[in-house]
Amino acid sequence: MDKKDLASLKKILIRKKTELLNKTNNAQREACANLDTDVGDEIDTASQSSEKEIYFELAANDKIALSATNDALAKIEKDSYGQCECCNSIIPMERLQAIPWTRYCIKCQEEAENPKK
């Protein structure tokens, strides 16, 4: 992989990491702030509970994406970035540019998502 491409992808990953950290922190802060403002009848309480669940789910999904981004940055440091974790083939640059935190080539990703019965 070209060093210029690698540097470009690393910059994207760092930007994504920062974005996810900020988004997760803001969602958690907002959800925690709402914990102390539970007032109203049962319908209000149920609505607030649903909102809190959505905030925490969003934060959980973002944490998964953050973990994948951190893994990709670690692979760059170890010179193993861009290699499929399943079959060890090189992941095409087009796929890395679209999803720089990807861990699998398209074939392995499709097999994982659609296992044969």
Side-chain angles (χ1 to χ4, degrees), residues 4-52:
K4 184 179 177 183
D5 290 335
L6 194 60
S8 171
L9 292 169
K10 185 175 182 178
K11 198 180 282 189
I12 292 169
L13 287 165
I14 291 171
R15 189 177 332 118
K16 183 68 173 177
K17 177 181 177 178
T18 303
E19 173 189 314
L20 288 167
L21 285 171
N22 289 336
K23 186 177 180 182
T24 300
N25 288 338
N26 290 339
Q28 287 177 340
R29 242 185 265 120
E30 188 173 333
C32 288
N34 288 336
L35 288 174
D36 297 331
T37 60
D38 287 340
V39 291
D41 60 12
E42 292 176 13
I43 293 173
D44 289 338
T45 303
S47 175
Q48 291 171 355
S49 293
S50 296
E51 289 173 12
K52 287 177 203 168

Side-chain angles (χ1 to χ4, degrees), residues 52-69:
K52 287 177 203 168
E53 286 179 30
I54 290 169
Y55 286 135
F56 284 120
E57 184 176 318
L58 174 68
N61 289 338
D62 287 341
K63 286 179 184 178
I64 292 168
L66 179 61
S67 176
T69 302

Side-chain angles (χ1 to χ4, degrees), residues 102-116:
T102 192
R103 298 167 48 193
Y104 305 104
C105 65
I106 292 173
K107 180 183 173 198
C108 292
Q109 183 77 39
E110 285 177 351
E111 288 175 3
E113 290 174 357
N114 303 309
K116 296 178 183 173

